[in-house]
């Protein structure tokens, strides 16, 4: 047998909570991008900011692989992810 897609567990069963999940992540995702941009500032060369930059880049990279699909699933009330999409998320994560 061949696997064409997986079914993901939803965060919530009610539509209102799914939309709340979408809007919450829509607000938090640019915040992570902003923190990375601020930490990338060239005048911040102390070791503390070096580690802050590494942490923020890792955070942005990890949420950029899983959060967009989770947001799309919450917005469109969909639970499916394709097998290649799942493999790509796992590879980039």
């Amino acid at each position: 047998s061949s696997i064409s897609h997986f079914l993901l567990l939803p965060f919530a069963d009610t539509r209102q909570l799914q939309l709340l999940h979408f809007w919450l992540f829509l607000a938090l995702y640019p915040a992570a991008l902003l923190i990375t941009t601020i930490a990338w500032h060239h005048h911040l060369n102390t070791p503390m900011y070096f580690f802050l930059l590494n942490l923020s880049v890792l955070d942005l990279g990890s949420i950029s692989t899983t959060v967009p699909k989770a947001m799309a699933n919450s917005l469109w009330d969909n639970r499916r992810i394709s097998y290649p999409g799942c493999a790509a998320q796992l590879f980039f994560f």
Side-chain angles (χ1 to χ4, degrees), residues 16-93:
Q16 290 82 13
L17 288 176
Q18 289 175 349
L19 291 175
L20 177 67
H21 168 256
F22 171 77
W23 289 110
L24 182 68
F25 275 153
L26 187 65
L28 291 178
Y29 188 72
L33 182 63
L34 180 66
I35 291 170
T36 303
T37 304
I38 291 171
W40 202 279
H41 196 269
H42 294 290
H43 295 292
L44 307 174
N45 292 327
T46 63
M48 181 183 76
Y49 288 111
F50 172 75
F51 291 115
L52 179 64
L53 175 64
N54 284 334
L55 181 64
S56 63
V57 168
L58 285 173
D59 180 45
L60 189 64
S62 64
I63 66 172
S64 293
T65 59
T66 56
V67 169
K69 183 63 178 172
M71 288 173 58
N73 286 348
S74 292
L75 183 62
W76 293 317
D77 198 19
N78 187 8
R79 295 178 40 202
R80 296 171 64 144
I81 184 169
S82 67
Y83 181 74
C86 183
Q89 275 189 357
L90 186 60
F91 175 77
F92 286 114
F93 189 72

